[in-house]
Amino acid sequence: MRALEVLLILIGISSVSAGTVDQLAPAARGAAATITGIVAVLFFVEYLVRLWVAPEIPRLHAATEGRSRLRWVISPEGVIDLLAVLPAVVAVSGGARLGAESASVFVLLWVLKLATHAPGVEMIARVFHNERSAIAAAAALFAIVLFSAATIAHWLEGERQPEAFGSIPASLWWAVVTLTTTGYGDVVPQSALGRVIGGLVMLCGISVLALLAGILATGFAEEVRRREFVRIWDLVARVPFFSEVGAIAISDIVGRLRSRSFAAGVTVIRKGAAGDSMFFIVTGKVEVRLGPRTKALCDGDFFGEMALLDRRPRSADVVTLTPCTVLVLNVADFYQLAGQQPALIAAIETEAKRRRADDRGADTS
Amino acid sequence: MRALEVLLILIGISSVSAGTVDQLAPAARGAAATITGIVAVLFFVEYLVRLWVAPEIPRLHAATEGRSRLRWVISPEGVIDLLAVLPAVVAVSGGARLGAESASVFVLLWVLKLATHAPGVEMIARVFHNERSAIAAAAALFAIVLFSAATIAHWLEGERQPEAFGSIPASLWWAVVTLTTTGYGDVVPQSALGRVIGGLVMLCGISVLALLAGILATGFAEEVRRREFVRIWDLVARVPFFSEVGAIAISDIVGRLRSRSFAAGVTVIRKGAAGDSMFFIVTGKVEVRLGPRTKALCDGDFFGEMALLDRRPRSADVVTLTPCTVLVLNVADFYQLAGQQPALIAAIETEAKRRRADDRGADTS
Amino acid sequence: MRALEVLLILIGISSVSAGTVDQLAPAARGAAATITGIVAVLFFVEYLVRLWVAPEIPRLHAATEGRSRLRWVISPEGVIDLLAVLPAVVAVSGGARLGAESASVFVLLWVLKLATHAPGVEMIARVFHNERSAIAAAAALFAIVLFSAATIAHWLEGERQPEAFGSIPASLWWAVVTLTTTGYGDVVPQSALGRVIGGLVMLCGISVLALLAGILATGFAEEVRRREFVRIWDLVARVPFFSEVGAIAISDIVGRLRSRSFAAGVTVIRKGAAGDSMFFIVTGKVEVRLGPRTKALCDGDFFGEMALLDRRPRSADVVTLTPCTVLVLNVADFYQLAGQQPALIAAIETEAKRRRADDRGADTS
Amino acid sequence: MRALEVLLILIGISSVSAGTVDQLAPAARGAAATITGIVAVLFFVEYLVRLWVAPEIPRLHAATEGRSRLRWVISPEGVIDLLAVLPAVVAVSGGARLGAESASVFVLLWVLKLATHAPGVEMIARVFHNERSAIAAAAALFAIVLFSAATIAHWLEGERQPEAFGSIPASLWWAVVTLTTTGYGDVVPQSALGRVIGGLVMLCGISVLALLAGILATGFAEEVRRREFVRIWDLVARVPFFSEVGAIAISDIVGRLRSRSFAAGVTVIRKGAAGDSMFFIVTGKVEVRLGPRTKALCDGDFFGEMALLDRRPRSADVVTLTPCTVLVLNVADFYQLAGQQPALIAAIETEAKRRRADDRGADTS
């Protein structure tokens, strides 16, 4: 659904953009206008549908009580969805057809709509929110360098290049182009001193950029850690094997697992390959193929532990029978976990021994 | 107060900047000059007020003894505040009116004043100070590449472009523009070898930038950690719930809390939403709304723990009655803390059980 | 082998590139074409050889069963190797000689071939894969800013500069050049408002870049940790000294070791130098030179521990007799390990005492 | 000594650079040449002095045996020092005077000399060395994008702009300028497809830059950790208070201390200020001023612990009497250490109690 929505938005943006190209053949422009119209209509229909179903969808942030339709209308998403169709509605209901130029406002509105649907945008917004004080400080630093540079450049170059450095606001253009190391080259200091200042501004620019990168790297690592934890936690809760572990000790484990999804028929483990991780099945069914014999595993089972325990290549193929979600435990984390949760690893070892005995029994039979 | 000060400085900088635009109508220029004058006068008044109250403000770095007025005058802040008004005082007392050009010096002085008021600038300064040896090394590297590039470019391109590469100082301009990847394009190497050198310089440029980003990211993460620790510690000390915890074990907790402030009347927790954190009230009053019944909580109480313990959506709305400062404990950190401080989580669980019993009693009554 | 392959590819790319230069003398162009041909033939031979030996090479991801030749042909590597020779085969078998222009397609194919051979490219690909959701979010952000900037610039500058901003697709060129802070300067906003937007776009550009750096830094640190762990683990398993350590406690040690390789005849430790690390020999032979006496150490022995235990300069030269692979334990990690694995350090201390006694016995004799 | 050396090198580089400016007055050029000569002579003298004293300086990497003079001559530093004077020696001994152009080779040689003296350059070199495999991968990626971009641009733009894109080597210039986001603007793609490729190359450029920043950030954080550990370890070894702590447990402490140096007469702690750290004296003498009474502390003593234990403002001024080197323990680290090394903090608390008793005794007397 979401992918379809994103695709529709992208088609809409493309058609509006194409509509603004004057060199286009009239036929092509007409086609672009038609597509724009269709997308607008679809969004209008979507708006009505969403408005209709709003009370029936149990959602995270909305209560399930009475006036939830109004609540959706005034929610940011509702407002953006409304804005995304309003201009078309107004234009058409006013009897006028949307011109290419006035239609171009849709690009902005639909880009906004895209932002509410793009995955991860909300996460990045949260990183910026968490680090807002540090980012504000970097922005203040940026502003301080910007104004200082513009003023000094105005003094040094104002007489020589009155057009570009004649006033502080004019100098600001040069300062921002230089400080972000964009360097259009339309305005360049020509006096020796002006160039020294220019060089210093560039240095400040790469420092501010580096500083910002440092701030965001720190904030991002933190946010990723928190987010992953909650997501994996929800998956771990569905694996019976972990239910025996105390609810509190489990946090050790959660931090080390990663989730992965496979389609049906995928070979997750190939015989003879290096064994670098083991798997816990959250949902789905897999088949272990030891030569002629096969063994089916499903929700809550684990596989791939033998290669980790013995440090040998994989001894069997493992193929998914249905679409699967699994939790992956890396070899590095497996052994680090072993130090902290010996009981858990012991349970895995016991199961591995039992399986090996089974296999041997099957082989000799 | 501080926001007002920052606003005033920004108005001042804007009016001075506007005053340098020659194309402006005389009326507008007059207005700009007037605003500049007013801001200068306000800063002068501010300086006198600060000088007056200096001995009475107990401050972090100033002792409360005798000659603290003088101490403030010679402190960096005092000197900058003085500099910010001096030119105006001199000009006016000398009977002259400040011209737009001479007024533009205010931009620099007020930007300096801004730096002392902007939040976080001091923190960034400390990061640069802590990492000064690594930054100096990066700067040395930068200088080494810069001079080498300028010299080699001078050899390779000197004859072909005598204007731009005729001497090493002239070549330096090209080198700095290229090394910071600004790339104005006013000076471009034209020989094949010169272009190879140019390409290498650009590569060095992005490496130096990457190196600087690495240095600052490392330093920033460290400084953030230290700073947050001290700030949260001060807040934790005010929450009675934590006072029962040993003074030393508390450091485990402090590293995991984040402070947040809410205005009065804000819905902190909404019924039915996902429960991803719990809250400790440092100051302020909140109301828990379980349908018809309400319960007030104030300084030192905590709320939101049930959704964490049960992994269920929120069961009540929580609304602030007064402006509140709360400490937030994320679900990820809640469980990791549980492993390290079981007693603390047990206390929270006990309280949660008591509350649940209360609720059930109230429901059956 | 791999270095030879990479060299051959680079020669091939260079000769194809040279072949496209029109100003070249006919002789030189002929030589380039000849080299291109030779490289293509060599790659053809290589393809046949690889196809031949495919079933006999036990490889990580390929099973050792029946149709492994076909499997190699349809593997990514096999397909790329085929593509790298196909055009030449087609052209020659069609009786035609490859022109310089049509030969230039080889650059792309051989660059692709290079990608499968370059060390670490696969690792970087995995980082991008692991962080794909965050990178997608950054890309979405990039797209959002890009389209917004192009649309607004189209409105503000469209009339003034119809060539560059006359349509949204045309404006996109300016937007992408500005957002990546490349700043060619061929298109520059000229209205005041357009410049304000331009400045904001540049700021967004350095923010997106910083964000991306943050994402990749986080992902890279994680991947490096996992990879190094597995590699060192395999080496540690070959050192007898560590075999006495429990299989699980070893993970503590593995995280702290680094591997290093030396040619024969290299002085690993120089007498009188500062002792900042100790060494475990994985494979190879070294000679300890205490003045006139020498002592040979081989696989599984360790050396350099005395300087760490006594914090004194090195007391002997240690020279490799054969090519060696050693594991290095840094002084910082040595003592941190000492806190966690006291038994291990105790074993090293015992051995060191025994050696010191030996030396003293030898000296007095 | 080192600062003087660096200054001398910078003077030398400046004078050589100035000597290449043709517009300079003959007198100024003469002065520059004279200074260049003097610097060259000084470096020659320095070379001879270093050669003379080489055997007498016990150095980290050099053994103290016989032929250490020769060893210094063939060490990298010795070779660079020789190169830095050789041209002048040759020119003068050959009876010729160095022309400005031929003198400019000194810039490169002296920049090389600078590299051996600049602090931290060696550290950065080590980070690059440690991360060489990852950096090589990033470089391979860079090369792959570069060649692909140049080839595709050659196809798309070759006909339209034969000068700039007529051959692959020519296209490479555009590719490198774009991929590093330098963007001179001397060569710009003009076809729609060429611009799409250009945009993609810019995106790859900021990704590679971000990747490099991530690699270096990871490597740098690691190297800083190792280096600081060794440096602090050496200082800790000189503080008697820590000598009671077991040699192995000390590694916990070392990771948390930072060293700082103060001149004589500096107020390290000011009465009434917030107490955010405590200090251990490595070398030097300080005076604690509790109103009228003073108390002297010297090597191995500590101070500032009371404010940390009581969370109160500082109760006394502490002023250095001689230049001091101290180890600083942050409040955050103090309490985290308390959890891991309770005995150590207990010792500090005991001393603090004794001091408080002393003070009270002094006050009542």
Side-chain angles (χ1 to χ4, degrees), chain B residues 165-247:
Chain B
F165 294 98
S167 69
I168 292 178
S171 292
L172 275 174
W173 174 242
W174 168 80
V176 77
V177 166
T178 302
L179 189 52
T180 58
T181 75
T182 303
Y184 282 135
D186 56 338
V187 186
V188 176
Q190 281 162 3
S191 65
L193 263 177
R195 292 188 160 189
V196 169
I197 292 297
L200 290 177
V201 170
M202 289 166 208
L203 278 176
C204 289
I206 66 173
S207 301
V208 167
L209 174 47
L211 184 68
L212 209 56
I215 292 169
L216 291 177
T218 304
F220 203 82
E222 183 71 2
E223 184 64 22
V224 162
R225 190 185 65 78
R226 287 174 189 270
R227 203 156 269 252
E228 194 64 10
F229 189 92
V230 172
R231 204 172 60 83
I232 299 289
W233 183 284
D234 288 342
L235 290 176
V236 164
R238 293 190 228 151
V239 178
F241 178 77
F242 291 117
S243 66
E244 299 160 23
V245 181

Side-chain angles (χ1 to χ4, degrees), chain A:
Chain A
M1 260 325 275
R2 183 189 258 187
L4 207 77
E5 176 99 33
V6 168
L7 187 71
L8 197 62
I9 297 175
L10 290 179
I11 290 175
I13 293 176
S14 304
S15 67
V16 174
S17 299
T20 61
V21 181
D22 290 334
Q23 301 90 317
L24 228 56
R29 299 194 70 177
T34 309
I35 295 172
T36 305
I38 292 171
V39 171
V41 168
L42 284 175
F43 284 157
F44 186 56
V45 172
E46 184 208 1
Y47 184 78
L48 293 180
V49 171
R50 279 186 190 257
L51 188 61
W52 186 257
V53 302
E56 290 159 32
I57 301 178
R59 276 161 25 128
L60 225 68
H61 298 284
T64 48
E65 297 167 47
R67 285 166 311 159
S68 64
R69 200 165 284 163
L70 177 63
R71 183 171 285 165
W72 181 78
V73 170
I74 60 170
S75 75
E77 206 185 325
V79 171
I80 288 172
D81 276 11
L82 182 61
L83 279 175
V85 292
L86 218 57
V89 173
V90 170
V92 171
S93 65
R97 203 148 164 284
L98 268 171
E101 276 316 298
S102 47
S104 69
V105 75
F106 277 125
V107 172
L108 286 193
L109 295 171
W110 291 349
V111 154
L112 214 61
K113 203 172 153 76
L114 187 64
T116 66
H117 286 87
V121 167
E122 179 233 336
M123 177 176 176
I124 287 175
R126 185 179 282 239
V127 170
F128 276 89
H129 184 256
N130 283 345
E131 301 294 325
R132 65 192 177 285
S133 71
I135 291 172
L141 213 70
F142 188 90
I144 288 167
V145 176
L146 194 70
F147 275 99
S148 308
T151 308
I152 297 174
H154 166 59
W155 292 341
L156 295 174
E157 298 276 331
E159 304 236 325
R160 201 192 275 246
Q161 304 187 63
E163 181 92 8
F165 293 99
S167 68
I168 292 177
S171 292
L172 275 174
W173 174 242
W174 167 80
V176 77
V177 167
T178 303
L179 189 51
T180 58
T181 74
T182 304
Y184 283 135
D186 56 337
V187 186
V188 175
Q190 281 161 4
S191 66
L193 263 176
R195 293 187 161 192
V196 169
I197 292 297
L200 290 177
V201 170
M202 290 166 208
L203 278 176
C204 290
I206 66 172
S207 301
V208 167
L209 173 48
L211 186 65
L212 210 56
I215 291 169
L216 291 177
T218 304
F220 203 83
E222 185 71 5
E223 184 64 21
V224 162
R225 190 186 65 79
R226 287 173 191 271
R227 206 155 265 253
E228 193 64 10
F229 189 92
V230 172
R231 204 172 61 82
I232 299 289
W233 184 282
D234 287 343
L235 290 177
V236 165
R238 295 190 227 150
V239 177
F241 179 76
F242 291 117
S243 67
E244 300 161 23
V245 182
I248 280 171
I250 217 169
S251 60
D252 253 1
I253 303 161
V254 169
R256 297 176 184 283
L257 293 168
R258 301 198 148 221
S259 72
R260 202 123 310 176
S261 294
F262 295 103
V266 171
T267 305
V268 179
I269 289 181
R270 197 178 289 281
K271 194 174 164 182
D276 58 355
S277 47
M278 68 173 291
F279 303 82
F280 299 89
I281 307 173
V282 179
T283 58
K285 224 175 195 168
V286 304
E287 197 178 63
V288 184
R289 297 186 182 154
L290 293 129
R293 285 170 304 117
T294 66
K295 196 164 57 178
L297 297 174
C298 63
D299 302 16
D301 285 334
F302 56 84
F303 59 91
E305 78 288 352
M306 284 191 208
L308 261 64
L309 290 167
D310 308 348
R311 306 285 306 150
R312 282 186 308 143
R314 300 293 192 192
S315 58
D317 279 358
V318 178
V319 183
T320 56
L321 297 178
T322 63
C324 285
T325 302
V326 300
L327 293 169
V328 185
L329 183 61
N330 192 283
V331 61
D333 293 317
F334 178 83
Y335 280 103
Q336 283 174 18
L337 189 59
Q340 294 165 19
Q341 298 287 341
L344 188 76
I345 302 298
I348 293 175
E349 278 184 317
T350 309
E351 173 67 15
K353 260 181 212 151
R354 204 188 54 69
R355 289 187 185 174
R356 241 174 257 144
D358 274 17
D359 293 356
R360 243 173 276 127
D363 285 348
T364 54
S365 67

Side-chain angles (χ1 to χ4, degrees), chain D residues 106-156:
Chain D
F106 277 127
V107 172
L108 286 193
L109 294 170
W110 290 351
V111 153
L112 213 62
K113 204 172 153 77
L114 187 63
T116 65
H117 286 87
V121 167
E122 180 233 337
M123 177 176 176
I124 287 175
R126 186 178 282 238
V127 170
F128 276 89
H129 184 256
N130 284 346
E131 301 294 325
R132 66 190 177 284
S133 72
I135 291 172
L141 214 69
F142 188 91
I144 288 166
V145 176
L146 194 70
F147 274 99
S148 308
T151 307
I152 298 175
H154 166 58
W155 292 341
L156 296 173

Side-chain angles (χ1 to χ4, degrees), chain C residues 309-320:
Chain C
L309 290 167
D310 308 348
R311 305 285 304 148
R312 281 186 307 143
R314 301 292 193 193
S315 58
D317 280 357
V318 178
V319 183
T320 57

Side-chain angles (χ1 to χ4, degrees), chain D:
Chain D
M1 258 325 274
R2 183 190 258 188
L4 207 77
E5 177 98 33
V6 169
L7 186 72
L8 196 62
I9 297 175
L10 291 178
I11 291 175
I13 292 177
S14 305
S15 67
V16 175
S17 299
T20 62
V21 181
D22 289 333
Q23 301 91 317
L24 229 56
R29 300 194 69 176
T34 309
I35 295 172
T36 305
I38 291 171
V39 172
V41 168
L42 284 174
F43 284 156
F44 186 55
V45 171
E46 185 209 359
Y47 184 78
L48 294 180
V49 170
R50 280 189 189 255
L51 188 62
W52 185 256
V53 301
E56 289 160 31
I57 302 177
R59 277 164 20 132
L60 226 68
H61 298 286
T64 48
E65 298 165 46
R67 284 166 312 158
S68 63
R69 200 165 284 163
L70 177 62
R71 182 170 286 168
W72 182 79
V73 169
I74 61 170
S75 75
E77 206 185 327
V79 170
I80 289 172
D81 276 10
L82 181 62
L83 280 174
V85 293
L86 218 56
V89 172
V90 170
V92 171
S93 64
R97 203 150 164 281
L98 268 171
E101 277 315 299
S102 48
S104 70
V105 75
F106 277 127
V107 172
L108 286 193
L109 294 170
W110 290 351
V111 153
L112 213 62
K113 204 172 153 77
L114 187 63
T116 65
H117 286 87
V121 167
E122 180 233 337
M123 177 176 176
I124 287 175
R126 186 178 282 238
V127 170
F128 276 89
H129 184 256
N130 284 346
E131 301 294 325
R132 66 190 177 284
S133 72
I135 291 172
L141 214 69
F142 188 91
I144 288 166
V145 176
L146 194 70
F147 274 99
S148 308
T151 307
I152 298 175
H154 166 58
W155 292 341
L156 296 173
E157 298 276 332
E159 305 235 325
R160 200 190 276 247
Q161 304 187 65
E163 181 92 8
F165 293 99
S167 68
I168 293 177
S171 292
L172 275 174
W173 174 242
W174 167 79
V176 77
V177 166
T178 303
L179 189 51
T180 58
T181 75
T182 304
Y184 283 136
D186 55 338
V187 185
V188 175
Q190 281 160 4
S191 67
L193 264 177
R195 292 186 162 191
V196 170
I197 292 297
L200 290 177
V201 171
M202 290 166 206
L203 278 177
C204 291
I206 66 173
S207 301
V208 168
L209 173 47
L211 186 67
L212 209 56
I215 292 169
L216 292 177
T218 305
F220 204 82
E222 185 70 3
E223 185 64 22
V224 162
R225 189 186 65 78
R226 287 173 190 271
R227 205 155 267 253
E228 193 64 10
F229 189 91
V230 172
R231 206 173 59 83
I232 299 290
W233 182 284
D234 287 342
L235 290 177
V236 164
R238 294 191 227 149
V239 177
F241 179 76
F242 291 117
S243 66
E244 299 161 23
V245 182
I248 280 171
I250 217 168
S251 61
D252 254 1
I253 303 161
V254 168
R256 298 176 182 283
L257 293 168
R258 299 197 151 223
S259 73
R260 202 123 309 177
S261 293
F262 295 102
V266 172
T267 304
V268 180
I269 290 181
R270 196 177 291 279
K271 195 176 166 179
D276 59 355
S277 47
M278 68 172 291
F279 303 81
F280 299 89
I281 307 174
V282 177
T283 57
K285 225 178 198 167
V286 304
E287 195 178 63
V288 184
R289 296 185 183 157
L290 294 130
R293 285 171 304 118
T294 67
K295 195 163 62 178
L297 298 173
C298 64
D299 302 16
D301 286 333
F302 56 83
F303 59 90
E305 78 288 352
M306 284 192 207
L308 260 65
L309 290 167
D310 308 347
R311 303 288 304 153
R312 283 186 306 144
R314 301 293 192 192
S315 58
D317 280 358
V318 178
V319 183
T320 57
L321 297 178
T322 63
C324 284
T325 301
V326 300
L327 293 168
V328 184
L329 183 60
N330 192 282
V331 61
D333 294 317
F334 178 83
Y335 280 103
Q336 283 175 17
L337 188 59
Q340 295 165 18
Q341 298 288 341
L344 188 75
I345 302 298
I348 293 176
E349 278 184 318
T350 309
E351 172 67 14
K353 261 181 213 152
R354 204 188 54 68
R355 288 187 186 174
R356 242 175 255 143
D358 273 18
D359 292 355
R360 242 175 275 128
D363 285 347
T364 52
S365 68

Side-chain angles (χ1 to χ4, degrees), chain B residues 285-362:
Chain B
K285 225 177 197 167
V286 304
E287 197 177 62
V288 183
R289 296 186 182 155
L290 293 131
R293 285 170 304 118
T294 67
K295 195 163 61 177
L297 297 173
C298 63
D299 302 16
D301 286 333
F302 56 83
F303 59 91
E305 78 288 354
M306 284 190 209
L308 260 65
L309 289 167
D310 307 350
R311 304 286 305 149
R312 282 187 307 143
R314 301 292 192 192
S315 57
D317 280 358
V318 179
V319 183
T320 56
L321 297 178
T322 63
C324 284
T325 302
V326 300
L327 293 169
V328 185
L329 182 61
N330 192 282
V331 61
D333 293 317
F334 179 83
Y335 281 102
Q336 283 176 15
L337 189 58
Q340 295 165 18
Q341 299 288 340
L344 187 74
I345 301 298
I348 293 175
E349 278 184 316
T350 309
E351 172 67 14
K353 262 183 212 151
R354 203 189 54 69
R355 288 187 187 176
R356 242 174 255 143
D358 274 17
D359 293 354
R360 242 174 276 128

Side-chain angles (χ1 to χ4, degrees), chain C:
Chain C
M1 257 325 274
R2 182 189 258 187
L4 207 77
E5 177 99 33
V6 168
L7 187 72
L8 197 61
I9 298 174
L10 291 178
I11 290 175
I13 292 177
S14 304
S15 67
V16 175
S17 299
T20 62
V21 181
D22 289 334
Q23 300 92 316
L24 228 58
R29 300 195 67 179
T34 309
I35 295 172
T36 305
I38 292 171
V39 171
V41 167
L42 284 175
F43 284 157
F44 185 56
V45 171
E46 185 208 0
Y47 184 79
L48 294 179
V49 171
R50 281 187 189 256
L51 189 61
W52 186 256
V53 300
E56 290 160 32
I57 302 177
R59 276 165 21 135
L60 226 67
H61 299 286
T64 49
E65 297 166 46
R67 285 167 310 159
S68 63
R69 201 165 284 163
L70 177 64
R71 182 169 285 164
W72 182 79
V73 169
I74 60 170
S75 74
E77 206 185 326
V79 171
I80 289 172
D81 276 10
L82 182 60
L83 280 174
V85 292
L86 218 56
V89 172
V90 169
V92 171
S93 65
R97 204 149 164 281
L98 269 171
E101 277 316 299
S102 47
S104 70
V105 76
F106 277 126
V107 172
L108 285 194
L109 295 170
W110 291 350
V111 153
L112 214 61
K113 203 172 152 77
L114 186 64
T116 65
H117 286 87
V121 168
E122 180 234 336
M123 178 176 176
I124 287 174
R126 185 178 283 240
V127 170
F128 275 90
H129 184 257
N130 282 346
E131 301 293 324
R132 66 191 176 284
S133 70
I135 291 172
L141 214 70
F142 188 90
I144 288 167
V145 176
L146 194 70
F147 275 99
S148 308
T151 308
I152 297 174
H154 167 58
W155 292 342
L156 296 174
E157 298 276 332
E159 305 237 324
R160 201 192 275 247
Q161 304 187 63
E163 180 92 8
F165 293 99
S167 69
I168 292 178
S171 291
L172 275 174
W173 175 242
W174 168 79
V176 76
V177 167
T178 303
L179 189 51
T180 57
T181 75
T182 304
Y184 282 136
D186 55 339
V187 186
V188 176
Q190 280 162 4
S191 66
L193 264 177
R195 294 187 160 190
V196 169
I197 293 297
L200 290 177
V201 171
M202 290 166 207
L203 278 176
C204 289
I206 66 173
S207 301
V208 168
L209 172 48
L211 185 67
L212 209 57
I215 291 168
L216 292 177
T218 304
F220 203 83
E222 185 69 4
E223 185 64 21
V224 162
R225 190 186 65 78
R226 287 175 190 272
R227 203 156 269 251
E228 193 65 11
F229 190 92
V230 172
R231 205 172 60 83
I232 299 289
W233 183 283
D234 288 342
L235 290 177
V236 165
R238 293 191 227 151
V239 178
F241 179 76
F242 291 117
S243 67
E244 300 160 22
V245 181
I248 280 170
I250 219 168
S251 61
D252 255 1
I253 303 162
V254 168
R256 297 174 184 285
L257 292 168
R258 301 199 148 221
S259 74
R260 202 126 306 178
S261 294
F262 295 102
V266 171
T267 305
V268 180
I269 289 181
R270 196 176 291 280
K271 194 174 167 181
D276 59 355
S277 47
M278 69 173 290
F279 303 81
F280 299 90
I281 306 173
V282 179
T283 57
K285 224 176 198 169
V286 304
E287 196 177 63
V288 183
R289 296 188 182 154
L290 294 130
R293 286 170 304 117
T294 67
K295 195 163 60 179
L297 297 173
C298 64
D299 301 17
D301 286 333
F302 55 83
F303 59 91
E305 77 288 352
M306 284 191 206
L308 260 65
L309 290 167
D310 308 348
R311 305 285 304 148
R312 281 186 307 143
R314 301 292 193 193
S315 58
D317 280 357
V318 178
V319 183
T320 57
L321 296 178
T322 64
C324 283
T325 303
V326 299
L327 293 168
V328 185
L329 182 62
N330 192 281
V331 62
D333 294 316
F334 178 83
Y335 280 102
Q336 283 175 16
L337 189 59
Q340 295 165 19
Q341 299 289 340
L344 188 75
I345 302 298
I348 293 176
E349 277 184 318
T350 309
E351 171 68 14
K353 261 182 213 150
R354 203 188 54 69
R355 288 188 187 174
R356 241 175 256 141
D358 274 17
D359 292 356
R360 241 174 276 127
D363 285 347
T364 54
S365 68

